[in-house]
Amino acid sequence: MEADLSGFNIDAPRWDQCTFPGRVKHFFNITDPRTVLVPDRELDWAKGMVEKSRTMPAVIFWQWVNQSFNALVNYTNRNAASPTSVRQMALSYITATTTAVATAVGMNMLTKRAPPLVGRWVPFAAVAAANCANIPMMRQQELIQGICVKDRNHNEIGHSRRAAAIGITQVVISRITMAAPGMILLPVIMERLEKLHFMKKVKVLHGPLQVLLSGCFLIFMVPVACGLFPQRCELSVSYLEPELQDTIKAKYGELVPYVYFNKGL
């Protein structure tokens, strides 16, 4: 007996994206670490890079590398229906990385004399601030020109800046939520563990343990954070720009109470 594949779409999520559990299952599936096999020599090289990154020049360099990667991620996960020229992309990249690096380095300098635990929370504050700068800058064309909004049948009916602002805000919240548990709870956990007698004898294991715990937090939090909001967002027509509301009502009357758009990741 052959299976009925008439409703199967390989590009569509396997779980209901209108529910939080469905979204979490979807992102657990696409972020499964078992799909990536990295040789030990590459992990050892990465570990060495972390250990050498304690001087200010190194902090600036690795912050730039990190924010450059984030800028690339933010650009590739934007709403692709919004075109961006090479000049606009370059300007967005420079502004995003410069703002994010300056924020991170500035916060590190301001908290040098703070209690040790506060100092350990600086990276989270820097990451949160950097996300608030990096994501909107790399996706600023969506805020300027608006993103495509459609009816429930996927027919394009206009572009909305308000929809873009909502989508980008949701992405920022998701990214900060993704980093929060690992960067807030992990410093507390490590501070207590490092006071234990046996941990004082094996200081060489502090770094690997912290990396392992960070990975455990991320394995869980990436799907959860990405699943906080639906990928295809629903927005009442009454919340759109007045001119777009008028256009929709003139063409469709009251037949289109909601519009839908892709928020990006």
Short mmCIF file of all heavy atoms in Angstrom, two decimals, residues 173-223:
data_model
loop_
_atom_site.label_atom_id
_atom_site.label_comp_id
_atom_site.label_asym_id
_atom_site.label_seq_id
_atom_site.Cartn_x
_atom_site.Cartn_y
_atom_site.Cartn_z
N ILE A 173 14.34 40.02 20.51
CA ILE A 173 13.93 39.37 21.76
C ILE A 173 14.34 37.90 21.76
O ILE A 173 14.85 37.38 22.76
CB ILE A 173 12.40 39.50 21.96
CG1 ILE A 173 12.02 40.97 22.20
CG2 ILE A 173 11.93 38.63 23.13
CD1 ILE A 173 10.53 41.21 22.22
N SER A 174 14.15 37.23 20.63
CA SER A 174 14.52 35.82 20.53
C SER A 174 16.02 35.63 20.72
O SER A 174 16.45 34.71 21.44
CB SER A 174 14.10 35.26 19.17
OG SER A 174 12.70 35.21 19.05
N ARG A 175 16.83 36.49 20.10
CA ARG A 175 18.29 36.34 20.20
C ARG A 175 18.76 36.58 21.64
O ARG A 175 19.66 35.88 22.12
CB ARG A 175 18.97 37.33 19.27
CG ARG A 175 18.70 37.10 17.81
CD ARG A 175 19.44 35.88 17.26
NE ARG A 175 19.22 35.79 15.83
CZ ARG A 175 19.92 36.44 14.93
NH1 ARG A 175 20.92 37.22 15.31
NH2 ARG A 175 19.65 36.31 13.64
N ILE A 176 18.19 37.57 22.30
CA ILE A 176 18.59 37.85 23.69
C ILE A 176 18.15 36.71 24.60
O ILE A 176 18.90 36.28 25.49
CB ILE A 176 18.00 39.20 24.15
CG1 ILE A 176 18.62 40.35 23.35
CG2 ILE A 176 18.25 39.41 25.65
CD1 ILE A 176 18.01 41.71 23.64
N THR A 177 16.93 36.21 24.38
CA THR A 177 16.44 35.07 25.16
C THR A 177 17.33 33.85 24.96
O THR A 177 17.61 33.10 25.90
CB THR A 177 15.00 34.73 24.75
OG1 THR A 177 14.16 35.87 24.95
CG2 THR A 177 14.46 33.56 25.56
N MET A 178 17.79 33.66 23.74
CA MET A 178 18.66 32.54 23.41
C MET A 178 19.94 32.54 24.24
O MET A 178 20.40 31.50 24.72
CB MET A 178 19.01 32.62 21.92
CG MET A 178 19.70 31.40 21.34
SD MET A 178 20.15 31.71 19.61
CE MET A 178 18.53 32.01 18.86
N ALA A 179 20.49 33.73 24.45
CA ALA A 179 21.76 33.84 25.16
C ALA A 179 21.60 33.96 26.67
O ALA A 179 22.55 33.67 27.42
CB ALA A 179 22.53 35.07 24.64
N ALA A 180 20.42 34.36 27.13
CA ALA A 180 20.23 34.71 28.55
C ALA A 180 20.58 33.60 29.55
O ALA A 180 21.40 33.83 30.44
CB ALA A 180 18.80 35.22 28.77
N PRO A 181 19.99 32.41 29.46
CA PRO A 181 20.27 31.40 30.50
C PRO A 181 21.75 31.06 30.61
O PRO A 181 22.30 31.00 31.71
CB PRO A 181 19.45 30.19 30.03
CG PRO A 181 18.34 30.78 29.23
CD PRO A 181 18.98 31.94 28.51
N GLY A 182 22.39 30.81 29.47
CA GLY A 182 23.80 30.44 29.50
C GLY A 182 24.70 31.54 30.02
O GLY A 182 25.68 31.28 30.71
N MET A 183 24.37 32.79 29.70
CA MET A 183 25.26 33.89 30.08
C MET A 183 24.91 34.51 31.43
O MET A 183 25.71 35.27 31.98
CB MET A 183 25.24 34.96 28.97
CG MET A 183 25.69 34.42 27.62
SD MET A 183 25.89 35.69 26.35
CE MET A 183 27.50 36.33 26.79
N ILE A 184 23.74 34.21 31.96
CA ILE A 184 23.36 34.71 33.29
C ILE A 184 23.54 33.63 34.35
O ILE A 184 24.13 33.88 35.41
CB ILE A 184 21.89 35.20 33.29
CG1 ILE A 184 21.75 36.46 32.41
CG2 ILE A 184 21.43 35.52 34.71
CD1 ILE A 184 20.34 36.97 32.28
N LEU A 185 23.05 32.42 34.06
CA LEU A 185 23.14 31.35 35.05
C LEU A 185 24.53 30.71 35.10
O LEU A 185 25.01 30.33 36.18
CB LEU A 185 22.10 30.27 34.75
CG LEU A 185 20.63 30.71 34.83
CD1 LEU A 185 19.73 29.54 34.47
CD2 LEU A 185 20.31 31.21 36.23
N LEU A 186 25.17 30.58 33.95
CA LEU A 186 26.47 29.90 33.91
C LEU A 186 27.53 30.58 34.78
O LEU A 186 28.27 29.89 35.50
CB LEU A 186 26.95 29.77 32.47
CG LEU A 186 28.23 28.96 32.26
CD1 LEU A 186 28.09 27.57 32.87
CD2 LEU A 186 28.57 28.86 30.79
N PRO A 187 27.64 31.92 34.77
CA PRO A 187 28.61 32.56 35.67
C PRO A 187 28.36 32.25 37.15
O PRO A 187 29.30 32.06 37.92
CB PRO A 187 28.42 34.06 35.39
CG PRO A 187 27.93 34.11 33.99
CD PRO A 187 27.04 32.91 33.86
N VAL A 188 27.09 32.19 37.54
CA VAL A 188 26.75 31.85 38.93
C VAL A 188 27.18 30.42 39.24
O VAL A 188 27.77 30.13 40.29
CB VAL A 188 25.24 32.03 39.18
CG1 VAL A 188 24.88 31.62 40.60
CG2 VAL A 188 24.82 33.48 38.93
N ILE A 189 26.87 29.51 38.32
CA ILE A 189 27.23 28.11 38.51
C ILE A 189 28.74 27.94 38.61
O ILE A 189 29.26 27.26 39.51
CB ILE A 189 26.67 27.25 37.35
CG1 ILE A 189 25.14 27.25 37.37
CG2 ILE A 189 27.21 25.81 37.42
CD1 ILE A 189 24.51 26.60 36.15
N MET A 190 29.47 28.59 37.69
CA MET A 190 30.93 28.45 37.68
C MET A 190 31.56 29.08 38.92
O MET A 190 32.53 28.54 39.47
CB MET A 190 31.50 29.09 36.42
CG MET A 190 31.23 28.32 35.14
SD MET A 190 31.81 26.61 35.17
CE MET A 190 33.57 26.85 35.46
N GLU A 191 31.01 30.20 39.38
CA GLU A 191 31.57 30.85 40.57
C GLU A 191 31.46 29.92 41.78
O GLU A 191 32.40 29.82 42.60
CB GLU A 191 30.86 32.16 40.86
CG GLU A 191 31.47 32.93 42.02
CD GLU A 191 30.77 34.25 42.29
OE1 GLU A 191 29.54 34.25 42.37
OE2 GLU A 191 31.48 35.26 42.41
N ARG A 192 30.34 29.21 41.90
CA ARG A 192 30.16 28.28 43.03
C ARG A 192 31.02 27.02 42.86
O ARG A 192 31.59 26.52 43.83
CB ARG A 192 28.69 27.91 43.16
CG ARG A 192 27.82 29.11 43.51
CD ARG A 192 26.44 28.70 43.96
NE ARG A 192 25.66 29.85 44.40
CZ ARG A 192 24.45 29.78 44.94
NH1 ARG A 192 23.88 28.60 45.12
NH2 ARG A 192 23.82 30.87 45.30
N LEU A 193 31.10 26.53 41.63
CA LEU A 193 31.90 25.33 41.40
C LEU A 193 33.39 25.58 41.66
O LEU A 193 34.08 24.72 42.22
CB LEU A 193 31.71 24.84 39.96
CG LEU A 193 30.38 24.18 39.62
CD1 LEU A 193 30.32 23.82 38.15
CD2 LEU A 193 30.16 22.93 40.47
N GLU A 194 33.85 26.77 41.27
CA GLU A 194 35.27 27.08 41.43
C GLU A 194 35.70 27.20 42.89
O GLU A 194 36.89 27.18 43.20
CB GLU A 194 35.61 28.36 40.67
CG GLU A 194 35.58 28.18 39.15
CD GLU A 194 35.62 29.50 38.41
OE1 GLU A 194 35.69 30.55 39.08
OE2 GLU A 194 35.57 29.48 37.16
N LYS A 195 34.74 27.34 43.79
CA LYS A 195 35.06 27.42 45.22
C LYS A 195 35.20 26.04 45.87
O LYS A 195 35.70 25.93 46.99
CB LYS A 195 33.98 28.22 45.95
CG LYS A 195 33.94 29.70 45.58
CD LYS A 195 32.81 30.42 46.30
CE LYS A 195 32.79 31.90 45.92
NZ LYS A 195 31.66 32.62 46.58
N LEU A 196 34.75 25.01 45.15
CA LEU A 196 34.84 23.66 45.69
C LEU A 196 36.30 23.19 45.72
O LEU A 196 37.09 23.53 44.85
CB LEU A 196 34.00 22.70 44.86
CG LEU A 196 32.49 23.00 44.82
CD1 LEU A 196 31.79 22.00 43.90
CD2 LEU A 196 31.89 22.95 46.22
N HIS A 197 36.62 22.37 46.73
CA HIS A 197 38.01 21.95 46.95
C HIS A 197 38.57 21.20 45.74
O HIS A 197 39.67 21.49 45.27
CB HIS A 197 38.09 21.06 48.20
CG HIS A 197 39.47 20.59 48.51
ND1 HIS A 197 40.48 21.46 48.92
CD2 HIS A 197 40.04 19.35 48.45
CE1 HIS A 197 41.59 20.77 49.11
NE2 HIS A 197 41.35 19.49 48.83
N PHE A 198 37.79 20.23 45.22
CA PHE A 198 38.33 19.43 44.12
C PHE A 198 38.47 20.25 42.82
O PHE A 198 39.33 19.97 41.99
CB PHE A 198 37.45 18.19 43.88
CG PHE A 198 36.20 18.45 43.10
CD1 PHE A 198 36.17 18.28 41.73
CD2 PHE A 198 35.04 18.88 43.74
CE1 PHE A 198 35.01 18.50 41.00
CE2 PHE A 198 33.88 19.11 43.02
CZ PHE A 198 33.86 18.93 41.65
N MET A 199 37.62 21.28 42.67
CA MET A 199 37.72 22.13 41.49
C MET A 199 38.97 23.00 41.52
O MET A 199 39.51 23.36 40.48
CB MET A 199 36.47 23.00 41.37
CG MET A 199 35.25 22.26 40.88
SD MET A 199 35.39 21.69 39.16
CE MET A 199 35.22 23.24 38.29
N LYS A 200 39.43 23.36 42.72
CA LYS A 200 40.64 24.16 42.83
C LYS A 200 41.87 23.36 42.40
O LYS A 200 42.89 23.93 42.01
CB LYS A 200 40.81 24.64 44.28
CG LYS A 200 39.77 25.66 44.71
CD LYS A 200 39.97 26.08 46.16
CE LYS A 200 38.92 27.10 46.58
NZ LYS A 200 39.08 27.51 48.01
N LYS A 201 41.76 22.03 42.46
CA LYS A 201 42.88 21.18 42.08
C LYS A 201 42.93 20.90 40.58
O LYS A 201 43.95 20.45 40.06
CB LYS A 201 42.80 19.85 42.83
CG LYS A 201 43.02 19.96 44.34
CD LYS A 201 42.99 18.58 44.99
CE LYS A 201 43.28 18.68 46.48
NZ LYS A 201 43.28 17.34 47.13
N VAL A 202 41.82 21.15 39.91
CA VAL A 202 41.76 20.84 38.47
C VAL A 202 41.38 22.10 37.68
O VAL A 202 40.42 22.08 36.90
CB VAL A 202 40.76 19.69 38.19
CG1 VAL A 202 41.30 18.37 38.69
CG2 VAL A 202 39.40 19.99 38.84
N LYS A 203 42.12 23.18 37.90
CA LYS A 203 41.80 24.44 37.23
C LYS A 203 41.85 24.32 35.72
O LYS A 203 41.19 25.07 35.00
CB LYS A 203 42.75 25.53 37.71
CG LYS A 203 42.52 25.95 39.15
CD LYS A 203 43.39 27.14 39.53
CE LYS A 203 43.08 27.60 40.96
NZ LYS A 203 43.91 28.77 41.36
N VAL A 204 42.65 23.36 35.24
CA VAL A 204 42.76 23.19 33.80
C VAL A 204 41.44 22.76 33.17
O VAL A 204 41.21 22.96 31.97
CB VAL A 204 43.86 22.14 33.47
CG1 VAL A 204 43.43 20.74 33.90
CG2 VAL A 204 44.20 22.15 31.99
N LEU A 205 40.53 22.21 34.00
CA LEU A 205 39.24 21.75 33.48
C LEU A 205 38.15 22.82 33.53
O LEU A 205 37.06 22.61 33.02
CB LEU A 205 38.77 20.53 34.28
CG LEU A 205 39.63 19.26 34.17
CD1 LEU A 205 39.03 18.15 35.00
CD2 LEU A 205 39.75 18.83 32.71
N HIS A 206 38.45 23.98 34.14
CA HIS A 206 37.44 25.03 34.25
C HIS A 206 36.96 25.49 32.88
O HIS A 206 35.76 25.66 32.65
CB HIS A 206 37.98 26.21 35.06
CG HIS A 206 38.19 25.89 36.51
ND1 HIS A 206 38.45 26.86 37.46
CD2 HIS A 206 38.15 24.71 37.18
CE1 HIS A 206 38.59 26.28 38.64
NE2 HIS A 206 38.41 24.98 38.50
N GLY A 207 37.91 25.74 31.99
CA GLY A 207 37.55 26.21 30.65
C GLY A 207 36.72 25.21 29.87
O GLY A 207 35.63 25.54 29.38
N PRO A 208 37.20 23.95 29.73
CA PRO A 208 36.39 22.94 29.03
C PRO A 208 35.02 22.73 29.64
O PRO A 208 34.04 22.53 28.92
CB PRO A 208 37.25 21.68 29.14
CG PRO A 208 38.65 22.18 29.28
CD PRO A 208 38.53 23.45 30.08
N LEU A 209 34.93 22.77 30.97
CA LEU A 209 33.64 22.59 31.64
C LEU A 209 32.69 23.73 31.28
O LEU A 209 31.49 23.51 31.02
CB LEU A 209 33.82 22.53 33.15
CG LEU A 209 32.54 22.41 33.99
CD1 LEU A 209 31.78 21.14 33.62
CD2 LEU A 209 32.86 22.44 35.48
N GLN A 210 33.22 24.94 31.26
CA GLN A 210 32.38 26.10 30.93
C GLN A 210 31.89 26.02 29.49
O GLN A 210 30.73 26.32 29.19
CB GLN A 210 33.17 27.39 31.14
CG GLN A 210 32.32 28.65 31.03
CD GLN A 210 33.02 29.86 31.62
OE1 GLN A 210 34.01 29.74 32.32
NE2 GLN A 210 32.51 31.03 31.32
N VAL A 211 32.78 25.59 28.58
CA VAL A 211 32.38 25.42 27.17
C VAL A 211 31.30 24.34 27.05
O VAL A 211 30.31 24.52 26.32
CB VAL A 211 33.61 25.04 26.31
CG1 VAL A 211 33.16 24.67 24.89
CG2 VAL A 211 34.59 26.21 26.25
N LEU A 212 31.47 23.24 27.78
CA LEU A 212 30.50 22.15 27.74
C LEU A 212 29.13 22.61 28.24
O LEU A 212 28.10 22.33 27.61
CB LEU A 212 30.99 20.98 28.59
CG LEU A 212 30.03 19.78 28.73
CD1 LEU A 212 29.79 19.15 27.37
CD2 LEU A 212 30.60 18.76 29.70
N LEU A 213 29.12 23.33 29.37
CA LEU A 213 27.85 23.81 29.91
C LEU A 213 27.21 24.84 28.98
O LEU A 213 25.99 24.84 28.82
CB LEU A 213 28.09 24.42 31.31
CG LEU A 213 28.47 23.42 32.41
CD1 LEU A 213 28.80 24.15 33.71
CD2 LEU A 213 27.36 22.41 32.64
N SER A 214 28.02 25.68 28.37
CA SER A 214 27.49 26.66 27.41
C SER A 214 26.82 25.95 26.26
O SER A 214 25.72 26.33 25.80
CB SER A 214 28.61 27.56 26.89
OG SER A 214 29.17 28.35 27.91
N GLY A 215 27.47 24.89 25.77
CA GLY A 215 26.88 24.12 24.68
C GLY A 215 25.56 23.49 25.07
O GLY A 215 24.61 23.47 24.28
N CYS A 216 25.48 22.99 26.30
CA CYS A 216 24.23 22.38 26.78
C CYS A 216 23.10 23.40 26.83
O CYS A 216 21.96 23.11 26.44
CB CYS A 216 24.45 21.77 28.17
SG CYS A 216 25.53 20.32 28.16
N PHE A 217 23.42 24.61 27.31
CA PHE A 217 22.41 25.67 27.36
C PHE A 217 21.93 26.01 25.94
O PHE A 217 20.73 26.15 25.70
CB PHE A 217 22.99 26.92 28.01
CG PHE A 217 22.89 26.94 29.52
CD1 PHE A 217 24.04 26.89 30.30
CD2 PHE A 217 21.67 26.99 30.16
CE1 PHE A 217 23.96 26.90 31.69
CE2 PHE A 217 21.57 27.00 31.54
CZ PHE A 217 22.72 26.96 32.31
N LEU A 218 22.88 26.11 25.00
CA LEU A 218 22.51 26.53 23.65
C LEU A 218 21.71 25.45 22.92
O LEU A 218 20.81 25.76 22.14
CB LEU A 218 23.77 26.87 22.84
CG LEU A 218 24.43 28.20 23.20
CD1 LEU A 218 25.72 28.38 22.44
CD2 LEU A 218 23.49 29.37 22.92
N ILE A 219 22.06 24.18 23.15
CA ILE A 219 21.32 23.10 22.50
C ILE A 219 19.83 23.19 22.84
O ILE A 219 18.96 22.95 22.00
CB ILE A 219 21.88 21.72 22.94
CG1 ILE A 219 23.22 21.47 22.25
CG2 ILE A 219 20.90 20.60 22.59
CD1 ILE A 219 23.93 20.23 22.73
N PHE A 220 19.56 23.57 24.07
CA PHE A 220 18.16 23.69 24.50
C PHE A 220 17.56 25.04 24.11
O PHE A 220 16.41 25.11 23.65
CB PHE A 220 18.08 23.51 26.02
CG PHE A 220 16.68 23.69 26.57
CD1 PHE A 220 15.72 22.72 26.38
CD2 PHE A 220 16.33 24.85 27.24
CE1 PHE A 220 14.43 22.88 26.87
CE2 PHE A 220 15.05 25.02 27.74
CZ PHE A 220 14.09 24.03 27.55
N MET A 221 18.33 26.12 24.28
CA MET A 221 17.75 27.46 24.14
C MET A 221 17.59 27.93 22.70
O MET A 221 16.71 28.73 22.42
CB MET A 221 18.62 28.48 24.90
CG MET A 221 18.44 28.43 26.40
SD MET A 221 16.69 28.52 26.92
CE MET A 221 16.18 30.08 26.19
N VAL A 222 18.41 27.45 21.77
CA VAL A 222 18.26 27.89 20.37
C VAL A 222 16.87 27.53 19.83
O VAL A 222 16.16 28.41 19.32
CB VAL A 222 19.38 27.32 19.48
CG1 VAL A 222 19.06 27.57 18.00
CG2 VAL A 222 20.72 27.97 19.83
N PRO A 223 16.43 26.27 19.94
CA PRO A 223 15.07 25.96 19.47
C PRO A 223 13.98 26.69 20.24
O PRO A 223 12.99 27.13 19.66
CB PRO A 223 14.97 24.44 19.66
CG PRO A 223 16.37 23.96 19.75
CD PRO A 223 17.13 25.06 20.41
#
